[in-house]
Amino acid sequence: MIGLIYYPRRVHYPTLEENFKIPIVRRIIRLLYAMPILKERKKKDKFYSEIKNAFKSKFILHMYPEIAMWPYYEGIRDFKYGAFKIAVDSNVGIQPIRFVFTKSKGIYKIYKRKKSICAVVLDPLYPNMEFEYKDRIKDLRDRTYESMNKEIDL
């Protein structure tokens, strides 16, 4: 769904290094432009520097700041710092996307029992350069969390 939102631009997805070791899955996630998140500290620093350089060429990186997405979970869990640290380090904005579940309507009502999912693209948020480095990361994380928790009417 995220790939369709940003089409024709290519979206890259960081995923655990272990996912690249699963026989069939590794081929599929490579086709979808997944990037391994390496566990070793030296390799992780290289991962962050490659992302920072890639943003200069209009690279789109999609991350779940909650670390994982649970099927049909409608709440917003606490965010980790990683995605926001990358945004502050690269001086790029965060484009929050909120998934909202709605009752099926029209023809979908006949054959679809589960709720339909809608992706709501919110206004981009940028790091506040007036703050110190760590405060910039926290501020961006908090503002993103607040914007995603606002009531969304469909």
Side-chain angles (χ1 to χ4, degrees):
M1 184 180 287
I2 301 300
L4 293 173
I5 291 171
Y6 289 106
Y7 183 82
R9 292 178 65 196
R10 193 175 294 159
V11 179
H12 296 262
Y13 307 88
T15 187
L16 297 175
E17 185 178 20
E18 291 84 40
N19 292 339
F20 285 86
K21 296 175 183 169
I22 304 169
I24 296 171
V25 173
R26 72 175 163 225
R27 287 189 170 83
I28 294 170
I29 62 176
R30 280 203 174 120
L31 288 171
L32 297 173
Y33 304 105
M35 304 165 51
I37 301 172
L38 307 167
K39 288 191 175 190
E40 295 176 35
R41 185 69 189 154
K42 288 182 181 179
K43 290 182 179 179
K44 197 176 265 191
D45 288 341
K46 184 181 177 193
F47 170 77
Y48 286 128
S49 68
E50 285 177 9
I51 288 174
K52 190 174 180 179
N53 290 333
F55 278 129
K56 293 174 184 171
S57 60
K58 305 296 181 190
F59 183 97
I60 295 176
L61 179 70
H62 178 73
M63 296 180 81
Y64 292 101
E66 304 148 308
I67 302 299
M69 185 176 156
W70 296 339
Y72 298 100
Y73 182 73
E74 295 191 39
I76 305 282
R77 291 171 287 144
D78 289 337
F79 292 162
K80 304 292 183 194
Y81 279 94
F84 306 98
K85 180 184 182 309
I86 290 171
V88 168
D89 287 346
S90 304
N91 197 25
V92 296
I94 296 278
Q95 178 81 64
I97 298 174
R98 169 92 187 259
F99 293 105
V100 180
F101 298 92
T102 60
K103 287 186 176 182
S104 299
K105 297 177 184 173
I107 194 140
Y108 294 110
K109 211 177 204 182
I110 297 168
Y111 70 88
K112 192 169 182 182
R113 293 186 180 157
K114 293 183 179 179
K115 293 180 176 181
S116 296
I117 186 169
C118 296
V120 180
V121 181
L122 304 172
D123 293 333
L125 301 167
Y126 294 91
N128 187 341
M129 301 310 270
E130 295 175 7
F131 293 127
E132 294 293 321
Y133 177 75
K134 286 187 177 182
D135 293 333
R136 253 184 273 160
I137 296 170
K138 186 180 182 317
D139 174 65
L140 185 59
R141 184 193 68 163
D142 294 345
R143 286 187 295 131
T144 303
Y145 187 84
E146 288 170 18
S147 74
M148 290 182 74
N149 270 315
K150 288 182 182 172
E151 191 67 33
I152 295 175
D153 295 322
L154 294 179

